[in-house]
Amino acid sequence: MKPYRDKDNQVRAVLFDVDGTLADTERDGHRLAFNAAFGEFDLDWEWNVELYGELLAITGGKERIRHYMEKYAAAELGRSGLDSWIAGLHKAKTRHYVALLERGETPLRPGVARLIRELRDAGIKIAIATTTTPENVSSLLKSTLGEDSPGWFDVIGAGDIVAGKKPDPDIYHWVLEQLGLPAKHCIAVEDSENGLRASLAAGLDTVITVNDYTRLQDFTGAAAILSDLGEPAQPFTVLGGTTHGSKWVNAELLMKLKT
Ligand code: XBP
Ligand code: MG
């Protein structure tokens, strides 16, 4: 049998989701920033932890605000210039979120920094495929991996750059096109069912690392479902799939997880 390195489908790039995957940003990050923006706009809206979990079904901050209004604040939908009002509210939210990240209290999840460094050392490309706003990605990377870290990524696909947000596969198609690689040479890392639907629809094998908002979701089709990426001193827990005896995710395991 040929060693895995000779496989035609060897991993040449790893595509990372951001929120919930690189860091636990939703509950104590985005949610608080939305609420701060609502306060700034004199709205009495308050997204508590449970409600926010429900609202996460809608990806994209502007889309999430509109969905909330349709369901819980329909009277506000009659505002003139609704689209630009939502955009302004979301801009304030992004400002609050970036300020929160700059306080440096949002760490990367276990194994993320290690894996990113190992992939770079191995000459494997790394990319971002997210629905969140570009400023948020660069702030998170800078506050955790250092000022120059956004430049480590061969492609950063974020926000409104494509029309359809996850679970549509558009952002993954866009990133693959920018990388100049077919899906068979890439693998995605995601945390949510919406993310998995998007990556699978783009033809990508996908590793899931769950978090408190996503652990009960349907991850049918994932290559592996893990508690996190794991570290040598802090192995992951396997929740689904096989990890070939590995205890943390590295380039070698990602090669094996490719179909
Ligand atoms: C997660 C999202 C985002 C964030 C909010 O994206 O759905 O909408 O919750 O970010 P992913 P914005 O997991 O794909 O990174 O307010 O900037 O949209
Ligand atoms: Mg996510």
Side-chain angles (χ1 to χ4, degrees):
M1 202 175 103
K2 285 182 175 181
Y4 66 84
R5 282 179 206 81
D6 291 342
K7 282 202 312 194
D8 177 48
N9 56 352
Q10 66 171 279
V11 175
R12 299 213 176 120
V14 179
L15 283 61
F16 290 93
D17 168 52
V18 173
D19 294 302
T21 299
L22 295 188
D24 256 322
T25 48
E26 295 291 8
R27 193 189 72 178
D28 299 325
H30 288 293
R31 184 181 69 86
L32 300 182
F34 279 111
N35 285 333
F38 301 155
E40 190 182 319
F41 274 56
D42 287 326
L43 297 161
D44 64 356
W45 306 348
E46 170 82 29
W47 289 1
N48 64 32
V49 172
E50 195 190 342
L51 172 62
Y52 193 67
E54 174 197 316
L55 297 174
L56 279 174
I58 307 300
T59 58
K62 292 188 287 290
E63 294 81 355
R64 192 170 297 146
I65 291 169
R66 182 181 295 272
H67 169 80
Y68 172 81
M69 293 175 76
E70 285 165 356
K71 201 161 173 194
Y72 298 104
E76 302 279 357
L77 289 168
R79 284 175 177 276
S80 65
L82 182 62
D83 285 354
S84 60
W85 182 82
I86 291 176
L89 179 57
H90 185 251
K91 206 169 165 193
K93 177 261 168 177
T94 299
R95 180 165 34 76
H96 286 289
Y97 182 69
V98 166
L100 187 151
L101 290 179
E102 284 173 352
R103 294 209 292 273
E105 293 159 9
T106 309
L108 295 178
R109 297 191 61 197
V112 170
R114 173 193 54 74
L115 179 61
I116 285 172
R117 292 202 169 90
E118 287 175 9
L119 293 171
R120 293 186 74 218
D121 290 347
I124 296 171
K125 293 182 179 204
I126 52 174
I128 295 288
T130 176
T131 54
T132 203
T133 308
E135 297 97 288
N136 299 349
V137 180
S138 100
S139 294
L140 178 68
L141 295 176
K142 285 181 184 174
S143 71
T144 53
L145 293 169
E147 269 304 300
D148 61 337
S149 59
W152 300 353
F153 290 80
D154 296 273
V155 177
I156 294 183
D160 298 328
I161 201 160
V162 291
K165 293 192 174 166
K166 299 173 188 176
D168 289 358
D170 303 20
I171 194 68
Y172 279 107
H173 285 310
W174 187 87
V175 171
L176 288 171
E177 197 180 313
Q178 300 294 311
L179 283 168
L181 288 170
K184 70 171 183 172
H185 286 309
C186 302
I187 191 160
V189 185
E190 272 285 356
D191 72 302
S192 71
E193 185 176 343
N194 276 329
L196 177 65
R197 298 275 83 83
S199 57
L200 290 180
L204 288 154
D205 290 314
T206 305
V207 175
I208 296 290
T209 55
V210 301
N211 57 59
D212 286 345
Y213 274 133
T214 67
R215 69 180 74 250
L216 298 178
Q217 294 180 348
D218 180 2
F219 294 121
T220 305
I225 308 162
L226 310 172
S227 56
D228 51 71
L229 293 173
E231 294 281 23
Q234 189 188 333
F236 53 54
T237 302
V238 183
L239 307 170
T242 174
T243 55
H244 307 272
S246 298
K247 304 249 183 289
W248 60 92
V249 176
N250 54 19
E252 194 173 343
L253 175 58
L254 292 176
M255 301 277 181
K256 290 177 184 167
L257 288 174
K258 280 209 60 59
T259 48

